Amino acid sequence: MRPLRLALSLLTIFPLAPKEATPEDFRRSTLFFPLAGYALGLPLSLLALLPLPDGFLAALLLACLLLLTGFLHLDGLLDAADALLGSRPRAERLRILKDPHLGPFAFGVGGLYLLLLWQALALVRDPLFLLFLPGFARFAILPFLNRYPLLHQGMAGLIRGGPVWGAFLLALPFPLLYPWSALLTLFTAYLVARFALARLGGINGDVLGAMIALGELGGLVGYVLWKALSG
């Protein structure tokens, strides 16, 4: 199926993009974003079964997640950090968003993000959670992608308007099993989208990448807090 292959090629390093794809194929690919997330989560869940020290296992999980995504969402987070943070006029923020060079906000946010992600992964050894989280985090961007204005067409414009409810059904196991983590994942994605709307006037591919990256972190934090409070 071309839409499924597109979803995998857009969100992972797997070279499965079809040679020919129509605009409808791109829109329908969002239906399979949760499945692309599960393709990322499966090796994480298998790694979690290994009897390794928590810190070392977390480093492996972090490396696996970053490598299998081709650092795509991390790159979006870094670009968005430079554009969204600090006191600048909107025109300057938009210019920075297009600049491939990294500024101080990118380095600061990137360092804190990787540190927090590593620490959160060190506290999570639940294979099912690690399987389903990436799928839900990739679903979580879709309601905002379809509702908020785009800064420009690009790839975000090609996938805009896809089937949100169908994707939600595929992502449903996560909120059923981990409702608080799912809520925090979705809320984190919402906060990033709202912040981009206020600072830039819309969202783009970099903002979507930041929403996924921080949404996953939000879900992990939600799991850790839930375990701490319920234990």
Side-chain angles (χ1 to χ4, degrees), residues 137-205:
R138 281 147 187 82
F139 155 76
I141 68 171
L142 299 182
F144 312 110
L145 169 64
N146 289 346
R147 180 179 179 183
Y148 289 2
L150 299 179
L151 296 176
H152 52 78
Q153 283 302 106
M155 188 57 66
L158 285 175
I159 62 175
R160 183 183 174 96
V164 175
W165 284 110
F168 175 70
L169 291 177
L170 291 176
L172 190 57
F174 187 72
L176 289 178
L177 292 171
Y178 310 99
W180 291 110
S181 290
L183 184 62
L184 198 51
T185 299
L186 196 61
F187 184 62
T188 304
Y190 165 76
L191 288 179
V192 176
R194 289 295 301 180
F195 195 54
L197 184 65
R199 292 289 179 108
L200 301 172
I203 61 177
N204 72 342

